[in-house]
């Protein structure tokens, strides 16, 4: 029996598993947070992303907010260099998205449970950061 | 910066009416109008006329005035020095992981995860020191990271020294480098060596340019007779109005289009700017430019050089006439600058 795993999915709405995901990590409006226990979905919650309105440093702000929720993994996004760096420091593992257009949160979680998402080791796109 | 020191600097040139030289800024808004061409040629011509001149390249994102002087920054007489900014260093013996620094950081450069010590993402940090000031546990020490360099090149020509500020590519804090250059020329051991300081500004009407124009006694804008030149010059005029300064202007490549004459007529009706003259497109000038040689030192006689030297005479006259006045206002400008910095 393993510890519960909390995974976050950047989402365009607050509709939980039905919400459409987005690859924008730092500036997505919501994170859907799914708690998994023994390969099953145990609970689902939604938080607003404080990074979505940040003047700068949206990636680190987003990481800060999901780290405070105790998230262990993030799915379905592209990760800039600041975000990737911060996620590593927070020990949050990064996973790719699906090749289909606009997957729902549930599609990503299912793919994750079936080991269909690729784990990512570093930034997938250049930063947008400007002072 | 040490406040006592800077106060001393100000009083040293206000009280003694000492030899703080006038500062001439060359600007113009649009890129490629010939700001550096005019600045370098003014600098060599003033030094040829027995002025001790310091040319300061303030276009810190693309400092290339040395090329137009036909020089290289790896010359052995060049002194280079790193320009650094504050970055927090967390003292793990004192830090209680309260998270106040993370919340206070307006750049979101500080991360602090539950039960972790804070950490900083240096590229996002603006060096504002707020984290250090608000930390109740004195757990943030000062560390510094380089964001650029300055080069001091003495005697590029007889009587002409060059100071170059350079921002490291990908860094965003160009204004910090510009402030550093302005502080540098306020040091008595620097300014006392010169009769004239010339600032070569970056294009644009942003805060780097504003800082330079604010610290200057005389502003010369270089424009070209195109809609772009006029548009961008108007931005500089707006900036000059905001900071309450007058400017002179020169039209470079004046015969490039028929509209050139109309432009100078139109601009001469502006109250805030005074026309000094124009320099025409000239093949000989272009040859010198391509070779990286100041055209004003070319022994040949050609129309652009004659036009430039007439403009030079006017500038020299203005500076000489206004010299005592400018000395005073220069002190006032520096004081203003200091007060602004104090406000931050």
């Amino acid at each position: 029996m393993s510890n519960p795993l909390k995974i976050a999915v950047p989402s365009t709405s607050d509709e939980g598993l039905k919400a459409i995901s987005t690859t924008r990590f730092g500036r997505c409006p919501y994170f859907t947070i799914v708690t998994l226990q023994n390969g099953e979905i145990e609970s689902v919650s939604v938080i607003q992303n404080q990074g979505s309105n940040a003047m700068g440093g949206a990636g680190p702000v987003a990481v800060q907010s999901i780290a405070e929720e105790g998230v262990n993994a993030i799915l379905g996004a592209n990760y800039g260099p600041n975000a990737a760096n911060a996620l590593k420091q927070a020990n949050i593992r990064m996973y790719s998205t699906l090749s289909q257009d606009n997957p729902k949160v549930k599609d990503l979680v299912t793919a994750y449970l079936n080991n269909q998402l690729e784990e990512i080791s570093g930034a997938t796109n250049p930063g947008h950061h400007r002072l | 910066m040490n406040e006592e020191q800077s106060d001393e600097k100000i009083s040293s040139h206000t009280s003694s009416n000492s030899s703080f030289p006038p500062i001439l800024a060359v600007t113009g808004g649009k890129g490629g109008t010939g700001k550096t061409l005019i600045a370098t040629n003014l600098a060599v011509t003033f030094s040829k006329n027995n002025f001790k001149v310091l040319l300061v390249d303030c276009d810190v994102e693309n400092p290339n005035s040395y090329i137009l002087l036909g020089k290289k920054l790896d010359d052995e007489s060049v002194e280079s020095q790193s320009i650094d900014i504050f970055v927090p260093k967390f003292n793990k013996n004192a830090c209680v992981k309260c998270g106040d620094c993370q919340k206070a950081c307006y750049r979101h450069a500080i991360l602090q995860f539950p039960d972790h010590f804070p950490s900083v993402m240096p590229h996002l940090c603006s060096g504002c020191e707020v984290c250090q000031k608000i930390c109740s546990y004195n757990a943030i020490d000062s560390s510094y990271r380089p964001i650029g360099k300055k080069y001091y090149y003495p005697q590029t020509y007889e009587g002409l020294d060059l100071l170059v500020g350079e921002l490291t590519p990908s860094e965003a804090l160009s204004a910090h480098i510009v402030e550093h250059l302005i502080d540098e020329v306020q040091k008595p051991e620097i300014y006392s060596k010169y009769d004239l300081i010339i600032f070569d500004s970056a294009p644009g009407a942003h805060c780097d340019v504003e800082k330079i124009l604010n610290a200057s006694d005389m502003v010369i804008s270089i424009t070209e007779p195109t809609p772009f030149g006029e548009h961008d010059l108007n931005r500089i005029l707006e900036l000059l109005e905001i900071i309450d300064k007058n400017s002179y202007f020169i039209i470079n490549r004046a015969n490039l289009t028929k509209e050139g004459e109309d432009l100078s007529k139109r601009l001469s009706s502006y109250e805030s700017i005074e026309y000094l003259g124009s320099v025409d497109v000239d093949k000989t000038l272009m040859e010198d430019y391509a070779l990286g040689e100041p055209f004003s030192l070319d022994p040949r006689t050609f129309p652009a050089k004659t036009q430039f030297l007439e403009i030079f005479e006017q500038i020299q006259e203005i500076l000489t006439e206004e010299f005592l006045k400018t000395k005073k206002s220069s002190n006032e400008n520096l004081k203003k600058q200091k007060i602004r910095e104090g406000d931050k």
Side-chain angles (χ1 to χ4, degrees):
Chain A
M1 167 133 178
S2 57
N3 288 327
L5 190 66
K6 274 193 169 185
I7 55 179
V9 183
S11 309
T12 55
S13 74
D14 59 356
E15 295 167 281
L17 293 174
K18 285 188 292 180
I20 292 170
S21 73
T22 167
T23 55
R24 298 185 71 192
F25 173 71
R27 296 201 181 274
C28 67
Y30 300 97
F31 285 111
T32 306
I33 295 174
V34 180
T35 305
L36 302 176
Q37 180 83 1
N38 299 326
E40 306 268 331
I41 294 174
E42 189 181 84
S43 63
V44 179
S45 63
V46 180
I47 61 165
Q48 280 194 330
N49 174 18
Q50 301 303 321
S52 63
N53 298 315
M55 289 252 303
V61 174
V63 177
Q64 187 76 37
S65 45
I66 58 172
E68 281 166 11
E69 295 291 322
V71 163
N72 316 98
I74 171 112
L75 316 182
N78 292 321
Y79 309 97
N82 288 322
N85 181 344
L87 285 164
K88 274 189 191 171
Q89 288 190 47
N91 290 322
I92 296 172
R93 297 162 80 165
M94 294 173 268
Y95 290 86
S96 66
T97 188
L98 288 164
S99 54
Q100 74 191 70
D101 281 344
N102 308 320
K104 290 185 175 166
V105 171
K106 184 157 191 195
D107 302 331
L108 283 160
V109 174
T110 308
Y112 171 80
L113 288 171
N114 295 331
N115 292 320
Q116 286 166 348
L117 296 183
E118 189 190 337
E119 185 166 357
I120 292 164
S121 58
T124 53
N125 58 313
H128 313 290
H129 59 281
R130 281 287 174 273
L131 276 187
Chain B
M1 177 187 302
N2 184 327
E3 272 173 35
E4 272 174 32
Q5 263 182 7
S6 59
D7 283 352
E8 222 171 77
K9 261 187 250 163
I10 292 164
S11 61
S12 74
H13 27 93
T14 42
S15 60
S16 63
N17 196 17
S18 73
S19 57
F20 198 92
I23 297 178
L24 174 67
V26 179
T27 189
K30 186 183 173 299
T33 58
K35 290 179 292 300
T36 304
L37 180 78
I38 299 292
T40 49
N41 280 283
L42 285 174
V44 294
T45 311
F46 270 109
S47 61
K48 216 175 138 191
N49 281 265
N50 297 319
F51 280 71
K52 281 281 287 168
V53 181
L54 177 66
L55 175 64
V56 188
D57 193 337
C58 304
D59 187 0
V60 302
E61 298 196 29
N62 275 316
N64 51 20
S65 54
Y66 66 93
I67 299 171
L68 280 183
L69 292 170
K71 303 292 172 182
K72 286 181 174 165
L73 288 182
D74 57 9
D75 189 276
E76 58 181 21
S77 64
V78 177
E79 291 168 38
S80 75
Q81 212 180 320
S82 163
I83 298 176
D84 302 337
I85 59 159
F86 167 90
V87 69
K89 187 181 176 198
F90 304 100
N91 177 347
K92 293 182 179 172
N93 296 320
C95 177
V96 300
K97 304 175 181 171
C98 69
D100 286 353
C101 56
Q102 188 269 325
K103 290 182 196 85
C105 178
Y106 84 108
R107 300 288 342 153
H108 309 302
I110 296 178
L111 296 169
Q112 208 236 313
F113 303 124
D115 300 321
H116 282 57
F117 283 112
S119 65
V120 65
M121 310 190 86
H123 262 78
L124 292 178
C125 175
S126 71
C128 74
E129 302 178 15
V130 159
C131 53
Q132 190 177 57
K133 293 193 169 91
I134 61 99
C135 178
S136 313
Y137 303 91
N138 290 324
I140 299 184
D141 297 333
S142 299
S143 182
Y144 294 89
R145 69 182 184 93
I147 58 162
K149 269 184 171 178
K150 66 181 167 194
Y151 300 86
Y152 185 68
Y153 193 145
Q155 298 291 101
T156 56
Y157 287 86
E158 196 182 337
L160 172 57
D161 297 348
L162 175 68
L163 175 65
V164 176
E166 180 188 76
L167 182 73
T168 305
S170 89
E171 289 289 351
L173 297 163
S174 57
H176 186 89
I177 307 277
V178 170
E179 279 173 8
H180 188 98
L181 295 172
I182 294 171
D183 282 348
E184 189 73 9
V185 304
Q186 288 175 42
K187 292 180 181 164
E189 67 270 27
I190 302 285
Y191 73 71
S192 61
K193 289 196 283 188
Y194 302 104
D195 305 316
L196 175 65
I197 294 172
I198 299 176
F199 284 164
D200 181 14
S201 112
H206 45 90
C207 67
D208 294 16
V209 178
E210 185 253 325
K211 284 174 198 298
I212 290 156
L213 303 193
N214 236 326
S216 304
D217 299 298
M218 179 177 180
V219 177
I220 299 177
S221 301
I222 316 297
T223 190
E224 60 173 32
T226 63
F228 315 105
E230 186 180 13
H231 171 270
D232 295 1
L233 180 69
N234 275 312
R235 302 260 304 163
I236 285 286
L237 294 182
E238 273 180 55
L239 172 63
L240 287 160
E241 201 176 318
I242 292 166
I243 64 174
D244 196 19
K245 271 203 191 264
N246 292 329
S247 169
Y248 298 86
F249 81 106
I250 297 170
I251 302 180
N252 190 21
R253 301 187 204 104
N255 57 345
L256 186 67
T257 65
K258 278 184 187 158
E259 287 75 20
E261 283 169 27
D262 297 342
L263 173 64
S264 54
K265 265 185 216 151
R266 211 160 48 242
L267 289 171
S268 60
S269 66
Y270 283 45
E271 277 180 17
S272 60
I273 194 156
E274 204 172 305
Y275 178 57
L276 284 172
S278 52
V279 177
D280 284 337
V281 177
D282 189 309
K283 197 163 175 289
T284 315
L285 184 151
M286 290 309 291
E287 281 169 21
D288 289 336
Y289 177 83
L291 291 169
E293 284 168 11
F295 73 86
S296 54
L297 296 180
D298 189 323
R300 291 174 284 182
T301 301
F302 48 97
K305 182 178 155 189
T306 310
Q307 291 171 315
F308 172 79
L309 290 177
E310 274 170 23
I311 293 168
F312 169 80
E313 292 296 334
Q314 285 187 66
I315 296 169
Q316 189 177 21
E317 208 170 291
I318 294 162
L319 282 174
T320 315
E321 264 175 35
E322 304 263 318
F323 189 50
L324 283 172
K325 225 168 94 190
T326 45
K327 246 203 298 198
K328 194 165 148 265
S329 69
S330 146
N331 293 332
E332 279 163 10
N333 288 331
L334 290 174
K335 246 198 296 188
K336 261 191 242 164
Q337 186 90 12
K338 279 290 157 197
I339 291 165
R340 275 161 180 257
E341 282 173 22
D343 284 346
K344 281 194 297 192

